[in-house]
Amino acid sequence: MPASPSTARAINDRLALHLLQQEGPLTAGQLKKLTGLSRPTVADLVERLGAAGLIEVAGESGEQRRGPNAKLYGIVAGRAHLAALDVRTEGVAVLVSDLLGRVLAEASVPIDDDSGTGPAVEQAVSLVERAVKEAGADRLHTVGIGAPGLIDPVGGELRDSTGLPEWHRRLMAALQEKFPEARVGVENETNLAALAEQRDGAARDRDTFVLLWLGLGIGAAVVLDGTLRRGVSGGAGEIGFMPVPGTAGLPSATDCDGGFHSVAGAAAVSALAAEHGVTVRPTGPEPHAAALVREAVHRSATGDDPAAGRFLDALADRIALGAAAVVSVLDPGCLVLAGEIGRAGADALAGRVQHRLARMSPLATEVRPSTLGGGAVLRGALLTARDRAQDDLFGPPGR
């Protein structure tokens, strides 16, 4: 059946807004060419979107020609403000952006392990308030939160998880109370990192890939045919619990000791470095295990410390154990090494893991390091918040 006039208008409006979001300001003539719509239809949608406060005249085209230059139309970036949070066990980072995702303010605050739940939540909420004020926003439309742990696929809430602080679970409700008009959502940090790598990072050319998060904990995000897969209970990618050779026991439903986490988590990486005589003086906020890996990469590259290369080889052996299991089940064709340890290992570690996978599995798999660094979770949270806000604001009226 042909679309009704109102449905056709909504489709045309979404198409034009998508083009303006992707390409930046465009003239009516450029919109006509890119959309394939008639000149009167484009004129109508420009007038309609302008009256709705979604687009505005953003300047004039710079074409050299006789007569007046054509008006350039762009999305009203200040129509909505968004916040993205990266919530870790040791602190919170936040950024505030406009509707187009341009960052207007950034801030972070450490939160001590000794802080109680109430004070920790208060610190985090105050941080967001200060960032919103610095950005010049009077309210937030959407808040995207990235946090470790399982997300309830039905209620969208962070589930109670052993080893994670209680204030993580309380933060979402506290932000909703402080910003009652905002749409507040939470997603697993590894999933958000994968979305960011898919959109802007190492997996831009891949519809199917797995991101391995190697940090304090171990996790994975699964993207199949362009879609993030969360699993029935939200636990797809909880590979820290995956049984692997070389451990003293087996993991349990409440403890991943004995699983992949036991051989590739931060504590295990630090112990492995000590076995190979790799040390580093603590400097800055980088986790110790990541600093050890980064130092080993540097020493190995200079060729002055064979032990550093042997440490990286041994670490790649361990990572390949878990990676091979993932590859044998999913055949993703591409693995992205992320998290603090994955980033620190860079190409040196990724290349070693790929070499071992080629020996262990007949399934061709490219292994790449993250290209977004420590900002991947924040970037993913921002992209998710922006998409949700645009879906809301760019949707049909009265939806």
Side-chain angles (χ1 to χ4, degrees):
M1 293 179 62
S4 67
S6 61
T7 300
R9 285 194 297 270
I11 293 172
N12 293 339
D13 290 354
R14 286 296 298 265
L15 175 58
L17 287 165
H18 176 73
L19 287 169
L20 291 170
Q21 189 262 323
Q22 293 291 113
E23 305 292 335
L26 298 169
T27 66
Q30 290 170 327
L31 281 171
K32 175 181 178 297
K33 181 178 180 180
L34 291 170
T35 61
L37 300 172
S38 68
R39 188 179 301 276
T41 300
V42 170
D44 286 343
L45 75 82
V46 166
E47 182 178 356
R48 186 165 56 249
L49 294 175
L54 293 174
I55 68 172
E56 62 186 353
V57 176
E60 295 183 343
S61 66
E63 299 174 1
Q64 299 298 318
R65 61 181 183 177
R66 289 187 176 184
N69 291 332
K71 294 179 180 178
L72 283 166
Y73 297 97
I75 290 175
V76 181
R79 174 66 185 271
H81 289 90
L82 323 170
L85 282 76
D86 182 1
V87 178
R88 304 293 179 94
T89 55
E90 71 276 8
V92 178
V94 62
L95 61 79
V96 177
S97 82
D98 61 22
L99 184 57
L100 291 178
R102 292 185 297 222
V103 178
L104 305 175
E106 294 182 82
S108 62
V109 63
I111 296 179
D112 297 333
D113 292 338
D114 296 334
S115 299
T117 298
V121 170
E122 186 176 344
Q123 277 185 278
V125 172
S126 296
L127 180 75
V128 178
E129 285 185 288
R130 291 195 300 272
V132 169
K133 183 177 180 180
E134 181 183 340
D138 55 356
R139 62 176 182 168
L140 291 174
H141 182 281
T142 306
V143 179
I145 305 170
L150 297 178
I151 310 299
D152 185 343
V154 178
E157 300 167 344
L158 189 63
R159 291 167 54 182
D160 188 13
S161 300
T162 303
L164 294 177
E166 174 66 19
W167 65 266
H168 282 195
R169 296 182 61 241
R170 300 282 184 86
L171 180 57
M172 185 175 175
L175 286 170
Q176 190 68 78
E177 182 178 354
K178 179 59 65 174
F179 303 99
E181 297 179 344
R183 302 170 66 192
V184 181
V186 63
E187 178 61 271
N188 174 267
E189 61 178 357
T190 306
N191 287 344
L192 289 179
L195 292 175
E197 295 287 355
Q198 179 186 28
R199 191 85 65 91
D200 298 330
R204 279 177 294 182
D205 60 338
R206 295 281 183 166
D207 287 332
T208 296
F209 70 99
V210 171
L211 180 139
L212 295 183
W213 184 274
L214 307 172
L216 180 64
I218 297 292
V222 180
V223 177
L224 302 178
D225 300 323
T227 301
L228 178 69
R229 305 296 181 177
R230 296 177 175 84
V232 173
S233 63
E238 288 294 319
I239 60 172
F241 288 87
M242 183 168 61
V244 294
T247 63
L250 291 172
S252 70
T254 58
D255 190 348
C256 57
D257 283 346
F260 186 39
H261 172 83
S262 293
V263 298
V269 172
S270 296
L272 184 64
E275 291 176 17
H276 288 82
V278 176
T279 60
V280 66
R281 181 176 299 174
T283 57
E286 185 175 43
H288 184 60
L292 288 166
V293 172
R294 192 178 303 280
E295 179 68 14
V297 170
H298 173 71
R299 293 185 193 178
S300 177
T302 63
D304 296 332
D305 187 357
R310 290 194 293 270
F311 162 59
L312 291 175
D313 289 340
L315 177 57
D317 287 340
R318 293 186 175 194
I319 294 171
L321 286 176
V326 170
V327 167
S328 67
V329 174
L330 297 175
D331 187 18
C334 179
L335 297 178
V336 176
L337 302 187
E340 296 87 355
I341 292 170
R343 295 196 306 270
D347 289 315
L349 184 59
R352 283 171 164 84
V353 174
Q354 180 171 321
H355 178 69
R356 283 153 178 78
L357 283 177
R359 294 198 316 243
M360 298 170 68
S361 172
L363 306 176
T365 306
E366 184 177 1
V367 182
R368 304 173 178 178
S370 163
T371 61
L372 295 180
V377 176
L378 263 182
R379 180 63 182 164
L382 175 59
L383 289 170
T384 301
R386 190 183 74 182
D387 289 348
R388 288 173 178 168
Q390 290 183 354
D391 282 344
D392 179 45
L393 294 172
F394 297 171
R399 185 186 62 178

